[in-house]
Amino acid sequence: MDYTKNQHVLSQWVLRNFRSDDTALSAKEKQRVWCHTVYMTPDKENVLHTQPLPISSVAVSKNCFRLIDAETGLPFDIEDELGVYERLTAGVVNDIIHEHNFSRLRHTLPEDFPVEKLASFAVMQLMLNLHNPQNKNPYKHELLEQFHADIQDHLSEYIHSINQLPHTNPELMEDHFYRKILRVANSVSSEEDKSRALFVLFGLLSILNKPTLYDNINILRNKIFAGIRTIEVIHTGHEFDSTEPRPAFAIAPNIFCLNKDENRIYLPLSHNFTLCFITGVTLDFKPRIDVFSPRPEQLKSCHDQSLNFFKVSFDYIDNVMTTIDMYNVSSSSTFYSAYDLSKLNEYLDKQDLNHEYYYSPEHPVFWQFMQADTL
């Protein structure tokens, strides 16, 4: 396996949800995504470079977690462990964007707590993105050091505890996560490399509700996503396989967009769906779920009376799309979308030709399934 510093920090399954329109109906191994990179010229002007990126060539950056095995002297990584949590999250996301099972977002069972899984995914991606050279956060190195300090400053104690696991908790050794942690702890890599890998592995154990020696990921998740009182599901009005000129959500490596002023957290899931968590003060987790779409009748769950549906204009969707794009550009030099800017201009031209269709209703209108024939 080759290790490079230019690998992307988003997984293939995430990028396939934002696949390019020209490969939307292609086989998975032939799908691409439009990769937009913002460069700064010597004159301090932003220049946008766009290119199609084969999704099958993308991998989470593994060189950040490359270690050397103590017994064989060969390199190894934590790709398999990252894959477990990615597949778990992908299942939740697919249920939302393909089956439109929005009411599941209220579930709080230990084995089925979708909001917790999505929030954990967002925080884990935040951590992984701190390793990304295209991350614009000027304090990313300081943040990494701060997150890893607790482990690195007490690494010998953690290694001692890990080496005791086969004796104190032999049943855990049947799980490949704990075997990998043991391998990392005893690798001949530097203390810094071991601390970074252990930090991620401990975090994955937390997400999977498995015993862990360090629970920082859950603490940070509960702080950022505390007090969710409303979940907005925002649908562009287009199906997943749509390729017509339309509004489409983009995604950056940080994946979620935190708007503290309005207590909103946007989490794009695909080119046609984004979630928005509205936080506040709540005693328990019983969120209201509001669904916004220019075409709510297209949604498989449009008859679900436990959900609140609102018919909105395409211009309403455009404003949400712009909010997410602004955050993406401010936080990263790279973001990914279903089309290049020429396709966006084509969509904007269509708006000018049919103002009534794209700009009405002026404000969200409460919509019910029985009204489908009259609205």
Side-chain angles (χ1 to χ4, degrees):
M1 180 187 298
D2 293 329
Y3 295 84
T4 70
K5 293 185 177 180
N6 296 319
Q7 289 171 306
H8 300 254
V9 299
L10 281 175
S11 301
Q12 292 183 17
W13 74 266
V14 175
L15 293 177
R16 286 199 183 98
N17 290 337
F18 297 85
R19 82 295 174 273
S20 65
D21 283 353
D22 59 325
T23 62
L25 304 180
S26 302
K28 284 184 177 181
E29 61 272 13
K30 294 185 178 180
Q31 286 187 331
R32 302 180 301 181
V33 66
W34 285 101
C35 178
H36 310 274
T37 305
V38 181
Y39 294 98
M40 183 74 74
T41 69
D43 297 329
K44 304 296 183 182
E45 294 183 359
N46 287 327
V47 175
L48 182 65
H49 175 69
T50 299
Q51 64 178 2
L53 176 71
I55 296 176
S56 60
S57 69
V58 172
V60 171
S61 183
K62 304 180 190 69
N63 65 296
C64 303
F65 311 109
R66 184 192 188 194
L67 300 104
I68 304 301
D69 187 83
E71 295 183 2
T72 66
L74 298 176
F76 69 97
D77 57 41
I78 59 174
E79 178 182 9
D80 290 342
E81 289 67 33
L82 284 168
V84 171
Y85 115 93
E86 289 167 1
R87 287 190 292 274
L88 184 68
T89 309
V92 174
V93 171
N94 287 337
D95 199 30
I96 295 172
I97 67 175
H98 295 300
E99 301 305 321
H100 309 160
N101 190 6
F102 310 139
S103 60
R104 184 183 172 190
L105 292 168
R106 290 195 182 97
H107 292 187
T108 58
L109 298 174
E111 67 276 11
D112 188 25
F113 198 162
V115 169
E116 183 178 271
K117 287 184 174 64
L118 292 171
S120 296
F121 172 61
V123 173
M124 178 58 73
Q125 197 62 40
L126 170 68
M127 298 298 183
L128 293 174
N129 193 38
L130 291 174
H131 297 277
N132 185 0
Q134 297 177 28
N135 188 333
K136 286 184 177 180
N137 190 327
Y139 306 107
K140 62 182 179 181
H141 298 298
E142 290 82 355
L143 286 171
L144 268 177
E145 291 179 2
Q146 179 181 337
F147 287 133
H148 296 156
D150 286 346
I151 294 178
Q152 191 163 344
D153 291 349
H154 304 90
L155 185 61
S156 60
E157 299 169 31
Y158 279 109
I159 291 177
H160 175 75
S161 297
I162 291 169
N163 283 328
Q164 292 301 308
L165 289 178
H167 310 289
T168 59
N169 302 86
E171 71 282 358
L172 293 180
M173 291 300 106
E174 298 178 7
D175 189 324
H176 68 93
F177 268 91
Y178 296 96
R179 294 197 298 272
K180 182 61 67 71
I181 285 175
L182 189 63
R183 193 177 178 190
V184 169
N186 292 293
S187 73
V188 293
S189 297
S190 68
E191 291 190 355
E192 180 182 1
D193 287 345
K194 289 196 279 190
S195 297
R196 286 193 299 190
L198 287 174
F199 178 84
V200 174
L201 288 170
F202 288 155
L204 293 176
L205 290 175
S206 297
I207 292 173
L208 298 171
N209 294 317
K210 296 183 177 186
T212 181
L213 296 173
Y214 189 74
D215 197 23
N216 187 273
I217 292 290
N218 281 351
I219 294 172
L220 186 58
R221 179 199 65 209
N222 293 338
K223 181 177 181 180
I224 295 175
F225 288 86
I228 294 175
R229 53 186 177 86
T230 302
I231 300 174
E232 293 184 350
V233 181
I234 305 170
H235 174 233
T236 64
H238 292 78
E239 297 179 353
F240 185 80
D241 290 335
S242 176
T243 59
E244 64 179 288
R246 68 199 187 286
F249 300 120
I251 193 169
N254 217 50
I255 77 169
F256 72 96
C257 312
L258 178 61
N259 186 337
K260 290 185 178 181
D261 293 338
E262 297 183 7
N263 294 326
R264 287 176 170 267
I265 305 173
Y266 290 97
L267 181 61
L269 301 181
S270 64
H271 66 87
N272 63 330
F273 275 105
T274 187
L275 298 181
C276 179
F277 301 101
I278 301 176
T279 59
V281 178
T282 59
L283 297 177
D284 49 18
F285 183 79
K286 293 181 179 178
R288 167 190 172 105
I289 300 180
D290 295 338
V291 183
F292 298 85
S293 175
R295 297 167 178 165
E297 69 279 0
Q298 287 189 355
L299 301 171
K300 295 179 182 180
S301 57
C302 65
H303 59 279
D304 189 340
Q305 296 184 1
S306 72
L307 306 171
N308 305 299
F309 289 90
F310 295 88
K311 186 177 179 66
V312 298
S313 67
F314 288 102
D315 181 61
Y316 180 96
I317 302 299
D318 291 344
N319 289 329
V320 176
M321 179 184 72
T322 300
T323 298
I324 293 174
D325 286 348
M326 289 177 62
Y327 185 92
N328 287 341
V329 172
S330 67
S331 65
S332 176
S333 299
T334 299
F335 62 99
Y336 310 87
S337 74
Y339 48 63
D340 62 7
L341 293 183
S342 62
K343 190 79 174 283
L344 177 59
N345 291 332
E346 184 181 346
Y347 165 65
L348 295 176
D349 290 341
K350 286 184 64 176
Q351 279 191 328
D352 293 337
L353 295 175
N354 195 342
H355 190 278
E356 178 68 20
Y357 177 76
Y358 288 100
Y359 287 86
S360 61
E362 184 177 356
H363 303 288
V365 175
F366 184 69
W367 182 94
Q368 290 180 298
F369 178 68
M370 296 301 294
Q371 298 174 335
D373 294 332
T374 60
L375 286 181

